[in-house]
Amino acid sequence: MSGYSMNTILTIFNSLQAKELIVEKSGEQKPMGRKATFFSLNERKNVYLGITFNQSGIYSALMSFSFRTLHTHFTPLSMSITRNDFSESLRKHIESLFEKEPALRSSCVAAGIAVPGDIDFESGILRSYTLMPKLNGMNFRELLEELFPKRKISIDHNIRGMLSYFLLDRELIEQNETILYVSARSATASGIIHRGAVVTAHGEFGHIHVADDDRPCICGRKGCLDGYFSLNSFMELLRDKLAHIAPSSKEEAENALAILARAYAEGNAEVRAEMDARLSRFASALLDLINITMPDVVILSGELLQMYGDPVAAITRMVKEHYRDSGYVPHYSRTKLLFTDVGTDIAAQGICRQMIDDDWGYVPPDDAD
């Protein structure tokens, strides 16, 4: 069936065994014919480490070159953490991750980090991350090279890592030519997958203009979505306008989103009015992006949207209430909205997938060859 001789096939298997990329395994023999030898990939031979982080903490994943996730780990962080403290936390985090299976450290062939904010991919220097400003100027390439000498190091943006995670879903990719992804965690960002490839990996969804007011934005403009639909803006809402339900202790303050979500679900009229007004601005920005990119499906994720219980139903309600569909621009009505309950850690798994694809992915021959 392959067109290769049996000698070639056996030589390939012998080579894979010699490199310990495959190992023999047990299997059910047929009652008749020659005895079979069964093999499986050696999932602990070539291992990839993916790391990401945000205000909440550091997330990591160890993934086999077969795309199987072997171990994951999480370390909480302080929002005001300094560069030195972050470096030390990352070292301890990695040590704890490999404690689960120490032998995997020597099998780790590459390490990558999916970084939020504006980062120079070549140098690895974080130009700015407004939610953790004390990390600005940090060199992540130098840090990883110190922790993993003589290994391949990859630096990318966290949204590309998240998008790469969805590339593992073959059914999703095969059924949808264009996929728009919107992440709403500390802030909102977006990316686009088209025909199975990431074409936009760092869209600033939070800097779409949604209001004609004087609310300043860090980007230099006024009225950006980020001023209404971000972790900081929701914490300001709770503290400044909803003080009667705001938490009194630091521990409770860290659960501001959970407090708002509970009040919204319980039908608190004031909370629902404030949160629906913000979701209406989010829906307006989403309509703009859908009309520009014409996606087949929009994948939504993140804690900011999760506060609404059923984000797709809530967004659909906002659109029906505030934007009359005349039928002349059908892009929104033809687009499917999905909410997926995935965490920040998918960026760590996604950058593993990128590194594995780079090392092991099949590249079709050039037509000219």
Side-chain angles (χ1 to χ4, degrees), residues 13 27 58 83 126 171 177 238 251 257 269 293 308 313 315 353:
F13 269 81
I58 300 172
R83 280 196 237 169
L126 180 64
E171 184 177 350
E177 183 177 63
L238 190 62
E251 290 75 17
L257 296 185
T293 60
Y308 292 87
I315 291 171
R353 184 208 181 280

Side-chain angles (χ1 to χ4, degrees), residues 89-261:
S89 294
L90 182 59
R91 288 187 178 90
K92 291 180 179 178
H93 174 95
I94 291 171
E95 291 298 327
S96 297
L97 173 65
F98 282 108
E99 280 177 3
K100 298 175 180 180
E101 199 170 344
L104 292 180
R105 184 147 202 163
S106 61
S107 299
C108 183
V109 296
I113 186 165
V115 183
D118 180 17
I119 187 164
D120 185 300
F121 301 133
E122 294 300 320
S123 68
I125 296 175
L126 180 64
R127 298 188 186 99
S128 67
Y129 178 34
T130 56
L131 301 177
M132 299 175 75
K134 292 184 179 180
L135 299 187
N136 294 350
M138 188 167 188
N139 192 317
F140 286 93
R141 185 173 296 280
E142 286 185 356
L143 179 56
L144 287 188
E145 287 175 347
E146 177 189 338
L147 295 171
F148 295 95
K150 299 181 180 180
R151 264 85 159 195
K152 178 182 176 181
I153 302 299
S154 293
I155 310 288
D156 215 324
H157 194 270
N158 64 335
I159 296 299
R160 181 179 289 275
M162 293 178 182
L163 290 167
S164 295
Y165 172 85
F166 291 107
L167 292 178
L168 291 171
D169 188 335
R170 284 193 173 186
E171 184 177 350
L172 176 72
I173 299 302
E174 290 173 358
Q175 293 181 359
N176 300 282
E177 183 177 63
T178 303
I179 300 167
L180 171 63
Y181 173 65
V182 179
S183 170
R185 290 177 168 81
S186 297
T188 52
S190 58
I192 298 172
I193 297 171
H194 182 66
R195 294 182 177 176
V198 177
V199 295
T200 303
H202 188 190
E204 292 288 2
F205 190 86
H207 296 287
I208 296 176
H209 183 79
V210 295
D212 294 323
D213 59 20
D214 293 328
R215 185 179 294 228
C217 181
I218 58 170
C219 75
R221 299 199 304 167
K222 296 178 180 179
C224 289
L225 178 65
D226 213 27
Y228 305 90
F229 213 86
S230 63
L231 176 60
N232 287 341
S233 70
F234 277 110
M235 291 182 72
E236 288 174 7
L237 168 66
L238 190 62
R239 182 178 62 249
D240 299 339
K241 295 187 177 181
L242 304 170
H244 54 289
I245 67 167
S248 56
S249 68
K250 178 185 176 185
E251 290 75 17
E252 290 177 328
E254 292 174 351
N255 295 318
L257 296 185
I259 294 169
L260 287 172

